[in-house]
Amino acid sequence: MAEKTAVIIDDEPDITTYFSTLLADNGWSVRTANDPNAGIALVQEEPPTVVMLDVMMPERGGLSTLIALRKDERTAEVPVVLVTGIQETLKADFGDFLDRFKKYHPNAYVQKPIDEAVLLKTLEEVTAE
C-alpha cells in the first residue's frame, strides 16, 4: 500500500499542529503551510494524497485556494477536504453553496469543531483507490 500523504493549509499554527499530529498518529505523512500561497506551492512541488484546506483565512481564503489548485493541471486531481468553522446559521446551506462551484467543488468538507473519527473516515473515503 502506498504511503498516504497530506498537505494541511490553515492560517492558525495550532490547528496545523493538531491536524498534523492526528494524521501522523494514524499513519499519514504530513506537510503543513500557514499561508495559502505556500500551501499551493507545497501541493505543486509534490502532489499529496489529499489536501486539507481551511475555508476562512485572511488575504486568500480557502475557496480561492481551492480554485487555484483545481485550475493547475499538476494539482487539479488532488482530493481536497475543506475544513470550515462556519457554524449553525450556515451549516445547512454550506453544501448547496459549494455546489455553485461546479468543477471547483471540493471532494468533501468537515465542520469545526472536528470530530476526529469523522475526519479520518472522510480522508479515507476521498483517498480510496
Side-chain angles (χ1 to χ4, degrees), residues 69-128:
L69 291 170
R70 292 292 193 239
K71 285 184 173 181
D72 187 319
E73 66 183 31
R74 297 168 290 178
T75 60
E77 300 300 319
V78 175
V80 175
V81 175
L82 289 182
V83 179
T84 178
I86 296 173
Q87 294 302 311
E88 298 298 321
T89 55
L90 295 179
K91 187 184 287 187
D93 300 324
F94 193 65
D96 292 335
F97 171 74
L98 291 176
D99 284 339
R100 296 181 191 160
F101 283 83
K102 307 284 184 225
K103 67 182 177 179
Y104 304 125
H105 203 281
N107 297 79
Y109 71 94
V110 293
Q111 292 278 337
K112 291 179 185 175
I114 297 298
D115 178 318
E116 293 178 0
V118 169
L119 174 61
L120 293 170
K121 180 179 180 202
T122 300
L123 293 175
E124 290 297 324
E125 288 172 353
V126 301
T127 61

Side-chain angles (χ1 to χ4, degrees), residues 16-62:
T16 54
T17 299
Y18 167 71
F19 286 142
S20 180
T21 302
L22 174 64
L23 270 59
D25 286 349
N26 284 277
W28 291 78
S29 175
V30 181
R31 294 175 290 150
T32 64
N34 296 117
D35 170 84
N37 293 323
I40 291 169
L42 282 177
V43 177
Q44 291 171 333
E45 289 166 12
E46 187 178 333
T49 309
V50 70
V51 172
M52 286 180 54
L53 177 60
D54 186 28
V55 172
M56 303 296 287
M57 293 183 285
E59 295 180 34
R60 181 178 205 149

